[in-house]
Amino acid sequence: MTLALQDYPNPECFDELIDEHGMPRRIACALFDHLNGFSEADLQERKAAAEAEILSMGITFTVYCENEGSIDRAWPFDIIPRLIRAEEWEGVERGLKQRTRALNLFINDIYHAQDIVRDGVFPRELLADSRNFRPECVGIDPPLGVWAHVCGTDLVKDKDGRFYVLEDNLRVPSGVSYMLENRLVMKRVLPELFESYAIGPVDDYPAQLRQCLASLAPMANPQIVVLTPGIYNSAYFEHAYLAQQMGAELVEGRDLVVGSDDCVYMRTIEGLHKVDVVYRRIDDLFLDPETFNPESVLGVPGLIRAWKKGKVALANAPGAGVADDKVVYTYVPDIIRYYLNEEPILPNVPSYRCVDPEECRYVLDHLDQLVVKPANESGGYGMLIGPRARREERVEFAERIRRDPRNYMAQPMLTLSTAPTLVDHRAEPRHLDLRPFILSGRDIYVTNGGLTRVALQKGSTVVNSSQGGGSKDTWIIDGKGA
């Protein structure tokens, strides 16, 4: 194994750590000086130590539909971190806060006066066809007027080296526990690197999350619970981890009951304990069989009734997913201008709306050049990567678009940035993205960096862990000259 850069291919796109001349960027010089001081055996030992740490810490994720079931896997992790200058991150952080403020104003407006629809900025027909609009939430006033308390916004860099927003995840975004664990693993296997850089901390996230959730209740020390679907959910590790880190109770639907006073109670061996805030990790339609899917055994009967009467706070609020729609995403720049009277700080990836007849024709004529995404899927499922699809696949996908144009949007195939990643016995470029997490309560908080996901397959741009992706620790580097 070697990190000798003469073996590293000349970047064909923007590389996070290597410049166009094949040399480390200024920010990465100390990192490469240090790693290049390792022998092959040293590097192999550190890599093996990281894998052993991940196993001993029980860091896993679940992949569905493998061998007709699901399987727990150790979290794939690369020991070469991703580095971002603090000066650059300050702009990203301001952009994420701006975007989250506007999205919360949008959701609140959609469930009240719908001014943005009346003023012709957002089409009424898109709302009518939205799968995540919940009529049951119309007229509700959640605490602080906030609906999306936890947002995971996916960012990518194109060949120009600039961050673009790829999508907003406002329902039950996952991955923050892996961001925290990545940092712990790095500190254990390469502790000396932390003496070379001033690295922004991430370990305050559980405290920030608890503070955000607590701000939704009127009392000083509310009872907070994390509501999980259970051990078979792919993000169960994260649910348990966050509950433990926050000092909150991890509960399933059967652990909670809504009393005749419309308050929510937790069953304990000491009797019923009142619950003030529920950080729910269950999708809307399974949250309360009394209001949504009557077949759900995951939720709590009467939970929405308790929420509507202000007896409990729910995070994220039911109905927040109306803005977690890849077609709605194309309107976010207009949403920012409408509610904040500001220009967007972070640009969207250029997008085509198939619901628009002219743009739909363009998409159908250029399927071999575009990435087409369904409005409400996640995890990289249901999308068409046109340049890599077979002709028959494009023909079949075109028919799907014609049948339901509202459900699709398209974007050009970006040249995602890369970063050196240890593969077999050397460093190779691999494409990546970044998911920062934004908390909205009384204040707005953005993580220092976020979860960097890596497409481990050569040439692949699919970074999702459910489809073979891995991750890196993300360092926000403070210091002049970095």
Side-chain angles (χ1 to χ4, degrees):
M1 183 183 296
T2 177
L3 289 182
L5 293 181
Q6 63 266 27
D7 296 331
Y8 195 77
N10 284 331
E12 297 178 353
C13 52
F14 183 84
D15 192 281
E16 303 283 338
L17 303 186
I18 306 298
D19 68 16
E20 62 275 20
H21 306 296
M23 300 300 293
R25 296 186 186 280
R26 181 179 297 179
I27 194 174
C29 286
L31 171 68
F32 278 93
D33 283 348
H34 187 83
L35 293 180
N36 283 327
F38 286 170
S39 67
E40 181 175 333
D42 289 336
L43 269 178
Q44 184 67 54
E45 184 180 337
R46 303 296 178 109
K47 185 172 184 286
E51 293 167 354
E53 282 289 339
I54 288 168
L55 284 176
S56 67
M57 294 162 74
I59 309 172
T60 64
F61 70 101
T62 303
V63 177
Y64 294 125
C65 302
E66 183 163 303
N67 300 324
E68 300 180 352
S70 60
I71 185 169
D72 272 347
R73 283 182 171 169
W75 180 244
F77 176 71
D78 181 63
I79 63 172
I80 303 178
R82 177 189 196 167
L83 279 54
I84 301 172
R85 289 181 300 107
E87 293 85 348
E88 180 181 15
W89 188 251
E90 285 172 5
V92 175
E93 183 176 339
R94 283 191 291 109
L96 291 171
K97 288 181 176 178
Q98 177 196 54
R99 195 173 180 94
T100 305
R101 282 200 308 274
L103 285 169
N104 270 305
L105 290 168
F106 170 74
I107 300 168
N108 199 55
D109 185 24
I110 287 301
Y111 288 115
H112 289 86
Q114 298 189 354
D115 290 335
I116 195 169
V117 175
R118 186 199 60 215
D119 290 340
V121 176
F122 186 79
R124 185 177 301 279
E125 55 271 24
L126 281 188
L127 195 57
D129 293 337
S130 170
R131 292 184 193 175
N132 294 310
F133 175 75
R134 305 280 175 244
E136 299 86 351
C137 298
V138 171
I140 300 297
D141 293 308
L144 308 174
V146 175
W147 294 74
H149 308 91
V150 183
C151 177
T153 295
D154 291 345
L155 303 175
V156 295
K157 277 188 176 179
D158 197 3
K159 55 188 175 185
D160 59 4
R162 185 182 183 190
F163 275 115
Y164 292 83
V165 177
L166 190 62
E167 62 185 51
D168 304 289
N169 298 281
L170 303 174
R171 285 176 283 182
V172 285
S174 296
V176 74
S177 61
Y178 300 115
M179 175 193 79
L180 298 169
E181 296 286 44
N182 285 352
R183 179 61 54 85
L184 285 177
V185 172
M186 282 299 290
K187 284 183 174 178
R188 291 180 184 179
V189 302
L190 287 165
E192 62 274 26
L193 274 176
F194 287 80
E195 298 174 3
S196 304
Y197 287 103
I199 304 167
V202 297
D203 55 4
D204 62 337
Y205 180 83
Q208 294 286 351
L209 176 59
R210 183 177 181 86
Q211 184 175 321
C212 170
L213 297 173
S215 73
L216 308 180
M219 66 286 293
N221 190 25
Q223 175 70 59
I224 299 171
V225 300
V226 178
L227 177 60
T228 176
I231 61 172
Y232 296 110
N233 185 270
S234 63
Y236 181 76
F237 167 82
E238 176 157 303
H239 306 162
Y241 180 88
L242 290 177
Q244 189 269 334
Q245 293 291 309
M246 286 195 294
E249 296 291 337
L250 179 68
V251 299
E252 298 183 23
R254 60 192 174 188
D255 299 319
L256 300 180
V257 61
V258 177
S260 58
D261 57 357
D262 292 326
C263 291
V264 178
Y265 295 91
M266 173 173 53
R267 292 185 173 96
T268 76
I269 57 174
E270 298 171 341
L272 297 178
H273 283 194
K274 186 173 177 295
V275 171
D276 304 302
V277 182
V278 177
Y279 178 32
R280 56 94 174 202
R281 300 297 298 260
I282 296 177
D283 289 337
D284 283 358
L285 296 181
F286 298 95
L287 199 53
D288 178 359
E290 193 176 278
T291 301
F292 298 121
N293 182 354
E295 304 295 323
S296 173
V297 294
L298 301 177
V300 185
L303 186 60
I304 298 299
R305 174 163 38 90
W307 175 61
K308 285 183 174 181
K309 293 191 175 183
K311 300 296 182 71
V312 70
L314 299 180
N316 284 341
V322 69
D324 184 348
D325 176 315
K326 293 180 179 61
V327 180
V328 174
Y329 153 90
T330 66
Y331 287 89
V332 173
D334 295 328
I335 288 171
I336 291 172
R337 295 185 188 100
Y338 181 78
Y339 291 108
L340 303 180
N341 194 28
E342 298 172 3
E343 281 300 307
I345 297 171
L346 288 172
N348 272 15
V349 175
S351 303
Y352 302 95
R353 302 161 182 156
C354 294
V355 71
D356 180 290
E358 188 173 333
E359 293 188 18
C360 189
R361 276 195 296 276
Y362 179 86
V363 171
L364 292 171
D365 290 344
H366 296 82
L367 276 182
D368 60 337
Q369 303 168 27
L370 299 171
V371 176
V372 188
K373 300 177 181 178
N376 295 294
E377 294 287 347
S378 60
Y381 292 104
M383 58 192 282
L384 175 81
I385 303 178
R388 295 178 186 166
R390 290 179 285 110
R391 182 180 178 281
E392 309 86 77
E393 291 173 316
R394 293 198 294 269
V395 169
E396 191 271 336
F397 215 91
E399 185 54 32
R400 289 193 212 173
I401 295 172
R402 291 189 186 95
R403 283 200 303 266
D404 187 10
R406 160 63 178 90
N407 193 43
Y408 293 96
M409 55 85 81
Q411 296 170 327
M413 183 85 176
L414 296 182
T415 310
L416 296 190
S417 63
T418 58
T421 302
L422 286 182
V423 179
D424 296 329
H425 299 286
R426 62 177 185 168
E428 294 186 1
R430 290 292 184 269
H431 294 291
L432 38 76
D433 77 351
L434 178 65
R435 175 175 290 183
F437 294 85
I438 306 101
L439 301 177
S440 301
R442 198 171 304 283
D443 304 304
I444 300 181
Y445 161 87
V446 180
T447 51
N448 261 320
L451 176 66
T452 288
R453 302 182 299 180
V454 186
L456 294 179
Q457 299 299 316
K458 186 176 183 179
S460 173
T461 56
V462 179
V463 299
N464 307 82
S465 56
S466 56
Q467 299 197 37
S471 72
K472 289 173 171 285
D473 194 13
T474 309
W475 293 1
I476 304 301
I477 303 295
D478 196 1
K480 293 180 179 177

